[in-house]
Amino acid sequence: IEAEVQRRKQLIHQSVERKAIISECYKRKHPEVYILQDSFLAPDFLEIVRYCTSPGAHLHGLLGYVESFSDKRIYRLPVFTEEFCQAFMDELEHFEQSDMPKGRPNTMNNYGVLLNEIGMDETFITPLREKYLQPITALLYPDLGGACLDSHKAFVVKYSLHEDLDLSSHYDNAEVTLNVSLGKDFTEGNLYFGDFSQDPTPVPKYLEIEHVGAQGLLHRGGQIHGALPIASGERWNLIIWMRSSAIRNRRCPMCNKKPELVEAEGFGDGFTETLEDDAPETVNLCSLW
């Protein structure tokens, strides 16, 4: 356990080193995909955002625009255009074939790309979260800080027959997760969802959901889920773990205890330090919804 703790402590420093090398040496094939543009987003997605930012927008109205599954608060919605998905995957494959240093998303996904390391955080993922996703999550997940998701971890995972085939049951270090199927031709590989991590039941009920190209699934990070094996082809998924410091500063979503913080570079898993003698005089409503 101690060896794993030390390994994880080094991850951030190693990531910073890789990012610096990539920034200096990597020649992008599709530089345009690094800066978010409305033209990358599906027209129906932009319509959803317009509704959510309109006066009087409410949950019931939003549910008329998205597909709901069971009572698990899982929602499917269009996100990107197919043209963007193709260009994005082509850029990712170009990076994979380069001799650049590569970090992997996590201990469960051995193939994929950390998007902050290739320079997509500030110009793509952050504006996507702040301008487009947060108006949606504010209505769908107010109790999880959906109106104040102030950090994220974004990565792309790859599944293929001779690499990672599936993903075992787990829950995410996130308040809300967006999982977008970028495409490629593949068969099988549906996602499945079980119970919420804090509410285990003796006999879990699993819900299987097909992943549709260029569309995304929004779900609570604590929802236990996994990916069934693909039978053929190759699949790429964009995953964005969105975090609310107003929520996780009070209780770590992984261990359910009050967090003890250490300094970190970047978003630091979404925790922020509040000085004991700097208690706010007003209540943060976002954390109480």
Side-chain angles (χ1 to χ4, degrees):
I1 293 175
E2 182 60 32
E4 176 64 12
V5 169
Q6 294 305 318
R7 185 190 73 83
R8 294 192 179 206
K9 284 183 177 180
Q10 295 301 314
L11 289 179
I12 294 177
H13 305 298
Q14 294 166 358
S15 180
V16 170
E17 293 174 359
R18 287 192 298 267
K19 183 178 180 180
I21 295 172
I22 293 167
S23 175
E24 182 177 351
C25 303
Y26 177 59
K27 185 173 177 59
R28 297 171 175 177
K29 183 175 182 180
H30 297 286
E32 69 279 2
V33 304
Y34 288 78
I35 302 176
L36 182 64
Q37 303 174 42
D38 275 6
S39 60
F40 297 165
L41 302 171
D44 287 347
F45 177 74
L46 294 173
E47 181 61 31
I48 292 172
V49 176
R50 276 192 289 270
Y51 171 76
C52 292
T53 54
S54 65
H58 52 83
L59 175 61
H60 183 71
L62 172 57
L63 294 180
Y65 290 88
V66 301
E67 186 176 359
S68 304
F69 294 93
S70 180
D71 59 349
K72 298 181 184 293
R73 301 174 72 187
I74 304 165
Y75 307 98
R76 179 157 58 201
L77 69 167
V79 180
F80 299 118
T81 65
E82 292 185 4
E83 292 77 13
F84 167 76
C85 291
Q86 291 298 321
F88 187 29
M89 285 189 295
D90 195 38
E91 175 65 31
L92 295 172
E93 289 184 318
H94 178 67
F95 175 74
E96 280 289 292
Q97 293 162 7
S98 74
D99 59 358
M100 292 295 102
K102 301 172 181 72
R104 297 309 182 188
N106 49 62
T107 55
M108 300 179 73
N109 294 109
N110 300 303
Y111 300 91
V113 179
L114 290 164
L115 297 184
N116 70 307
E117 293 189 2
I118 65 172
M120 292 195 75
D121 247 6
E122 294 82 1
T123 56
F124 192 103
I125 300 298
T126 294
L128 178 64
R129 168 174 55 80
E130 292 180 344
K131 182 178 179 181
Y132 299 93
L133 294 174
Q134 193 158 281
I136 301 173
T137 58
L139 294 178
L140 293 178
Y141 306 104
D143 53 320
L144 297 174
C148 50
L149 297 171
D150 49 4
S151 68
H152 62 261
K153 177 179 179 179
F155 51 94
V156 170
V157 295
K158 175 188 174 187
Y159 300 92
S160 68
L161 292 182
H162 302 294
E163 298 175 339
D164 287 340
L165 275 178
D166 56 11
L167 186 61
S168 300
S169 296
H170 66 284
Y171 59 93
D172 302 335
N173 184 1
E175 273 64 71
V176 180
T177 295
L178 174 67
N179 183 334
V180 183
S181 177
L182 297 174
K184 284 280 186 174
D185 293 325
F186 63 91
T187 56
E188 302 297 333
N190 288 348
L191 302 184
Y192 62 88
F193 293 86
D195 298 313
F196 195 71
S197 60
Q198 298 169 29
D199 303 310
T201 56
V203 183
K205 294 182 180 180
Y206 287 94
L207 173 68
E208 190 173 326
I209 300 176
E210 180 183 3
H211 225 341
V212 180
Q215 297 198 18
L217 291 171
L218 276 169
H219 63 85
R220 296 174 293 176
Q223 197 81 46
I224 295 173
H225 60 286
L228 296 171
I230 62 170
S232 65
E234 194 173 289
R235 186 178 82 189
W236 294 71
N237 287 56
L238 166 64
I239 312 294
I240 306 178
W241 289 352
M242 294 179 281
R243 296 156 170 170
S244 170
S245 60
I247 297 294
R248 59 183 44 218
N249 284 356
R250 298 179 305 178
R251 180 179 55 81
C252 172
M254 306 304 284
C255 69
N256 294 323
K257 298 178 181 178
K258 184 175 178 58
E260 297 180 9
L261 305 181
V262 296
E263 289 188 14
E265 299 181 58
F267 285 133
D269 276 10
F271 298 93
T272 58
E273 187 170 15
T274 302
L275 299 177
E276 292 184 3
D277 56 354
D278 190 28
E281 297 180 0
T282 57
V283 176
N284 184 347
L285 294 178
C286 167
S287 65
L288 300 178
W289 285 354

